[in-house]
């Protein structure tokens, strides 16, 4: 991707005008706002500069770089002209137009809130779509397959995960880091949208602001600045397909709750921004304007295609399923002390090849076949081993707001690990999982160092170079704790998208069965 140039949308005359000695920085800013390739080059060059304070958006980067550097960045871009007749370039243009619309959504929200970082958040929102800009240029046939399946009714994120083999939001931030935006992966982590929190916001957003009821944890999560960037991106993608779909309406309600405003006010603001964007002819070039969908009657619900049969199991049953882990200590924190949170995990991508070998464990949890905690942990460890995760730990909320290790497997000294207890800072990645801001997270090898600082001090030496995965363990309205899993302390081997999808299923299945078995154990103890 690094060597794939983005097409220039402006004319050679417009680019030539930027090379004059009399050109003013405001004129260059106006050009960059409508030229994604130029904006991206300026943002990454600004973040590459060694300065104590990171740049705060496109305007700040332009002021930092100065006219000579800006003209040098703009000069080679004009050589790669957009040809909308080529399918790959047309899809890249559409992705850029979606990012531009998402940026306009965020800009309107932040200006209404008098936010001081509107430029920084607007341009992170725009740049976060860079993988979707470039992949159609590299693999136009696969990109066309994604668009066809989304248009047919499938959800974009699972389709992209299946077709491209990775999460494009994470790929975008890693690519931005590769281009010089050093802190992009950390911003991507902060911008991640927790499905559970999104669902809660959508329900509450349908009500008038004075009638909304949010827990303290949800209210705190809604005050986080970055998730609005991701929500704007989702709205821009969905608006392209259907302004009247239930999914779009749910996201509008979520945005209303996030912003603390009436739903109709938020919807009208989105429509105005779409009309404004429709007048930016540079992004049209044969594409439908964003406001075009507002002139059409609501279409019939898109039929969701039936999932194809799951492929044959690619992984064999692990002998670890039969081997029981160490029994949890009697002094471990009980799940009754876990912080409360509404929860409903999102479904993983369809047809992920790592799902089939987990069928037995997942079925056992759904049908309550497991008889005690020892059997549950033995089965869970075996299922993790099947997807290549040989080391794991379960942390539960303990007294005094601390997090304590309840169970550990695959560590050099599991007993010492089970004695771990530590407090969480609000910005810790683990705290976000417990608050419901994230459901599961896959830390890839390139993200390990940037994420390490977001871990509690007791765990900062844990991440192997191959990365690791985290998943919340929840049951109904309660967040019980979280799972840490990796391939071993010295492993350089990480997950792939299908195995991460399976890991998320494990986390979702564990919580209800763990709660049931703990309760059964207490009842047995009470009758003795």
């Amino acid at each position: 991707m690094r060597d794939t140039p983005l097409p220039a949308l402006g004319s050679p005359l417009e680019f030539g005008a930027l090379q004059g000695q009399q050109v003013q920085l405001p004129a260059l800013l106006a050009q960059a706002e409508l030229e994604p390739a130029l904006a991206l080059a300026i943002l990454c060059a600004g973040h590459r500069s060694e300065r104590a304070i990171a740049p705060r958006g496109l305007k700040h980067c332009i002021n930092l770089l100065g006219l000579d550097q800006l003209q040098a960045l703009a000069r080679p871009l004009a050589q790669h002209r957009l040809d909308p007749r080529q399918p790959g370039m047309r899809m890249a243009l559409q992705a850029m137009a979606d990012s531009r619309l998402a940026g306009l959504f965020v800009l309107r929200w932040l200006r209404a809130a008098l936010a001081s970082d509107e430029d920084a958040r607007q341009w992170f929102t725009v740049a976060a779509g860079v993988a979707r800009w470039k992949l159609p240029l590299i693999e136009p046939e696969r990109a066309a397959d994604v668009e066809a399946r989304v248009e047919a009714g499938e959800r974009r994120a699972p389709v992209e995960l299946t077709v491209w083999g990775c999460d494009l939001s994470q790929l975008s931030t890693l690519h931005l880091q590769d281009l010089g935006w050093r802190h992009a992966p950390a911003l991507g982590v902060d911008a991640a949208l927790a499905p559970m929190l999104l669902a809660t916001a959508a329900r509450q957003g349908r009500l008038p602001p004075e009638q909304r009821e949010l827990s303290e944890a949800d209210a705190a999560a809604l005050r986080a600045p970055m998730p609005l960037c991701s929500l704007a991106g989702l709205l821009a993608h969905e608006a392209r397909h259907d302004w009247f779909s239930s999914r779009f309406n749910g996201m509008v309600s979520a945005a209303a709750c996030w912003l603390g405003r009436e739903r109709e006010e938020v919807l009208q603001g989105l429509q105005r921004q779409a009309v404004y964007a429709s007048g930016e002819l540079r992004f049209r070039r044969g594409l439908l304007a964003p406001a075009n969908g507002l002139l059409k009657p609501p279409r019939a619900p898109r039929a969701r295609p039936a999932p194809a049969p799951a492929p044959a199991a690619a992984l064999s049953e692990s002998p670890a399923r039969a081997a029981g882990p160490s029994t949890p200590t009697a002094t471990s924190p009980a799940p009754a002390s876990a912080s409360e949170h509404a929860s409903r995990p999102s479904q993983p991508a369809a047809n992920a090849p790592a799902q089939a070998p987990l069928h037995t464990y997942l079925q056992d949890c759904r049908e309550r076949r497991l008889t005690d905690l020892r059997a549950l942990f033995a089965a869970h460890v075996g299922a993790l081993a099947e997807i290549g995760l040989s080391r794991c730990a379960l942390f539960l909320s303990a007294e005094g707001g601390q997090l304590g290790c309840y169970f550990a497997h695959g560590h050099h000294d599991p007993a010492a690990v089970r004695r771990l207890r530590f407090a969480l800072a609000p910005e810790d990645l683990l705290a976000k999982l417990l608050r419901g801001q994230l459901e599961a997270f896959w830390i890839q090898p390139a993200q390990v160092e940037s994420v390490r600082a977001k871990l509690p001090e007791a765990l900062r030496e844990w991440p192997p170079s191959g990365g690791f995965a985290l998943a919340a363990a929840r049951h109904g309205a309660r967040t019980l704790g979280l799972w840490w899993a990796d391939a071993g302390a010295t492993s350089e081997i990480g997950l792939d998208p299908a195995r991460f999808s399976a890991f998320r299923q494990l986390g979702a299945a564990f919580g209800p069965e763990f709660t049931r078995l703990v309760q059964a154990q207490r009842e047995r103890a009470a009758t003795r």
Side-chain angles (χ1 to χ4, degrees):
M1 284 177 60
R2 185 185 180 93
D3 297 327
T4 302
L6 290 168
L9 309 187
S11 67
L13 184 62
E14 289 170 315
F15 272 93
L18 298 180
Q19 300 301 321
Q21 293 297 320
Q22 303 302 318
V23 66
Q24 300 293 315
L25 291 183
L28 209 150
L29 172 63
Q31 174 81 350
E33 287 180 339
L34 298 176
E35 190 65 63
L38 179 57
L40 182 66
I42 292 171
L43 287 165
C44 292
H47 282 84
R48 278 196 301 269
S49 60
E50 297 293 334
R51 295 180 182 273
I53 301 176
R56 298 184 297 274
L58 186 65
K59 295 176 185 176
H60 193 191
C61 287
I62 285 177
N63 290 327
L64 287 176
L65 295 173
L67 184 59
D68 290 343
Q69 288 189 63
L70 293 170
Q71 289 179 327
L73 290 171
R75 202 169 294 124
L77 299 180
Q79 299 173 10
H80 305 285
R81 302 281 302 125
L82 175 75
D83 182 0
R85 295 170 298 179
Q86 297 184 27
M89 286 202 177
R90 189 166 60 251
M91 286 184 285
L93 176 62
Q94 180 66 74
M96 294 179 196
D98 290 345
S99 294
R100 170 63 175 167
L101 182 60
L104 289 173
F105 286 166
V106 165
L107 182 62
R108 182 178 182 88
W109 295 340
L110 298 183
R111 283 186 175 171
L114 302 178
S116 61
D117 60 345
E118 65 176 52
D119 197 46
R121 279 198 269 172
Q122 179 194 8
W123 286 101
F124 176 78
T125 303
V126 174
V130 65
R132 295 182 178 91
W133 307 350
K134 288 194 172 185
L135 287 174
L137 303 172
I138 302 169
E139 293 277 2
E141 292 183 0
R142 293 170 71 184
D145 180 38
V146 170
E147 296 304 324
R149 291 174 60 177
V150 172
E151 184 64 24
E154 295 186 67
R155 293 194 175 186
R156 180 173 292 276
V159 172
E160 289 176 339
L161 188 65
T162 302
V163 172
W164 297 114
C166 61
D167 182 322
L168 293 196
S169 296
Q170 291 190 24
L171 179 61
S172 290
T173 56
L174 290 172
H175 183 53
L176 291 173
Q177 184 184 47
D178 189 41
L179 294 176
W181 196 329
R182 299 187 302 276
H183 306 298
L187 291 173
V189 171
D190 292 340
L193 274 174
M196 182 180 63
L197 183 62
L198 187 62
T200 300
R203 288 194 301 271
Q204 296 295 324
R206 299 186 185 101
L207 303 172
E210 63 275 8
Q211 296 180 18
R212 295 170 189 164
E213 296 181 356
L214 294 165
S215 67
E216 289 186 12
D218 286 344
L222 291 173
R223 288 194 293 271
M226 295 305 295
L228 273 177
C229 302
S230 298
L231 183 55
L234 292 176
L235 281 163
H237 284 131
E238 191 63 26
R240 175 167 30 120
H241 295 288
D242 193 350
W243 279 88
F244 304 100
S245 69
S246 59
R247 179 165 168 77
F248 180 81
N249 284 318
M251 288 190 287
V252 173
S253 298
C257 185
W258 233 291
L259 299 167
R261 296 182 178 276
E262 293 281 355
R263 186 186 180 284
E264 282 305 309
E265 178 188 351
V266 173
L267 178 59
Q268 290 171 10
L270 296 175
Q271 293 169 345
R272 288 192 183 97
Q273 294 300 79
V275 171
Y276 177 85
S278 298
E280 295 178 337
L281 301 181
R282 186 176 295 195
F283 289 99
R284 300 286 66 83
R285 310 290 286 276
L287 302 180
L288 290 176
N292 182 73
L294 295 171
L295 306 177
K296 297 180 179 180
R299 58 178 169 179
R302 290 178 281 167
R304 187 182 302 278
L315 303 174
S316 61
E317 284 289 331
S318 167
R321 281 184 74 84
S326 304
T327 305
T329 61
T331 58
S332 299
S337 64
S339 59
E340 295 193 357
H341 230 328
S343 170
R344 188 167 69 111
S346 62
Q347 294 298 316
N351 306 329
Q355 291 180 11
L358 304 175
H359 175 77
T360 302
Y361 171 74
L362 298 175
Q363 194 73 11
D364 286 349
C365 288
R366 281 194 295 268
E367 299 185 7
R368 301 187 172 188
R369 295 174 183 168
L370 298 164
T371 56
D372 54 32
L373 289 173
R374 179 182 288 274
L376 173 66
F377 281 101
H380 197 88
V381 166
L384 286 173
E386 288 171 356
I387 57 174
L389 299 174
S390 58
R391 189 174 72 155
C392 62
L394 173 66
F395 295 93
L396 299 180
S397 296
E399 294 180 0
Q402 291 188 319
L403 204 62
C405 183
Y406 185 100
F407 171 82
H409 176 80
H411 297 261
H412 176 68
D413 187 353
V417 173
R418 286 196 295 273
R419 289 194 293 270
L420 279 178
R421 272 176 175 72
F422 46 82
L424 290 178
E427 66 273 12
D428 284 347
L429 187 58
L430 274 59
K432 293 185 178 183
L433 278 163
L434 292 175
R435 289 197 301 265
Q437 289 179 260
L438 298 171
E439 173 195 345
F441 202 77
W442 169 20
I443 291 81
Q444 301 183 47
Q447 294 176 292
V448 167
E449 291 308 315
S450 62
V451 170
R452 193 184 299 274
K454 292 181 175 289
L455 295 173
E457 188 173 352
L459 303 182
R460 287 182 184 171
E461 298 305 316
W462 278 34
S465 58
F468 60 98
L470 299 168
R474 298 193 176 104
H475 178 222
R478 292 197 301 169
T479 301
L480 307 175
L482 57 92
W483 277 99
W484 173 301
D486 57 47
T490 60
S491 175
E492 297 181 358
I493 302 172
L495 290 170
D496 57 34
R499 293 171 192 271
F500 175 61
S501 178
F503 174 72
R504 288 172 54 176
Q505 290 185 78
L506 285 173
F510 175 84
E513 191 68 349
F514 177 73
T515 303
R516 180 183 73 83
L517 293 173
V518 167
Q519 184 63 34
Q521 180 175 285
R522 289 176 175 170
E523 291 174 356
R524 286 195 299 269
T527 58
R528 289 174 184 170

